[in-house]
Amino acid sequence: MSEFNSIGLHEDSASQLAEKLNHLLANYQIFYMNVRGYHWNVKGNDFFQLHEKFEEFYTDLLAKVDEVAERILTLGHQPVHAYSDYAKLSRIQEDKNVSDGQACVKGVLDGYQTLIALQREVLALASDADDEGTASQAGDYIREQEKTVWMLNAYLSK
C-alpha cells in the first residue's frame, strides 16, 4: 500500500484530516438543524427579519455540509452520515424549544463561534499536511463566518 493517497497527501495526514473534518461535519449538521428550528419557531417583534435571516443561514450551512462531506471523500475517506454519530461527535448541542428572537440569535452566534474554532483546528492540520485544498476551504469559511459573528454581536448589542 502506498504512503500517499490519490491526491498526493500522506495517508496518515489524510486520515487525521478526515477524522477532524467528520467532527466538523457533525457540528455543521447539528447547527443546521438548530438554525432550521429557529427559522420555524422564532417569535417576537423581529420575526420577519429573523425568519428571513435564519433561512439565509441554514441554506448556506446546508451547502457547507455537502462541501465538507465531499472534502472527506476527496481525501479518500467516508463522511459520517448518521445523526447518532453527529450527536456523539458534535460540540454544538441540540437547541430545543427556542422561540425568543434574542435567544435564537445567541444560539446562532454560539454555533458560528464553535465552527470557527473547529475550522482553525482543521486549518492547522491541513497546513501541517501541506493540504492546500482543505486549508483553503477552512480559511474561506473562517473569513466569512468571522464577519457573521461581528454582525450578530452588533445585532445583540442594540
Side-chain angles (χ1 to χ4, degrees):
M1 185 171 151
S2 173
E3 288 184 49
F4 296 92
N5 67 10
S6 64
I7 60 171
L9 296 177
H10 196 276
E11 185 49 50
D12 289 342
S13 296
S15 181
Q16 289 176 355
L17 280 162
E19 182 178 346
K20 183 61 79 173
L21 285 168
N22 267 316
H23 284 261
L24 181 62
L25 178 62
N27 280 272
Y28 265 104
Q29 286 282 37
I30 299 293
F31 186 41
Y32 165 80
M33 288 306 302
N34 286 348
V35 177
R36 194 79 196 229
Y38 303 150
H39 169 76
W40 290 330
N41 296 303
V42 68
K43 292 178 174 45
N45 292 337
D46 294 335
F47 168 82
F48 291 105
Q49 176 188 4
L50 292 176
H51 183 76
E52 185 176 321
K53 193 60 161 172
F54 294 150
E55 183 174 1
E56 178 186 317
F57 287 151
Y58 77 66
T59 299
D60 180 65
L61 291 167
L62 187 58
K64 286 179 172 58
V65 162
D66 195 52
E67 293 168 359
V68 171
E70 288 177 351
R71 188 65 196 167
I72 294 166
L73 290 163
T74 300
L75 293 170
H77 294 269
Q78 184 174 358
V80 293
H81 58 277
Y83 274 93
S84 57
D85 291 331
Y86 298 148
K88 289 178 198 168
L89 295 174
S90 182
R91 294 179 192 171
I92 297 173
Q93 300 300 305
E94 292 178 328
D95 202 4
K96 299 178 185 178
N97 303 316
V98 179
S99 61
D100 173 74
Q102 293 285 333
C104 291
V105 172
K106 179 73 170 97
V108 172
L109 176 62
D110 292 344
Y112 277 121
Q113 289 171 326
T114 300
L115 289 178
I116 290 168
L118 278 165
Q119 288 161 167
R120 285 192 175 117
E121 294 172 19
V122 169
L123 182 59
L125 272 177
S127 295
D128 290 345
D130 200 26
D131 178 1
E132 178 59 32
T134 303
S136 176
Q137 183 180 37
D140 289 348
Y141 290 179
I142 290 167
R143 182 181 61 252
E144 175 187 320
Q145 292 164 1
E146 285 174 340
K147 183 175 181 180
T148 300
V149 164
W150 161 66
M151 291 180 180
L152 291 167
N153 275 317
Y155 176 87
L156 288 171
S157 67
K158 65 178 184 178

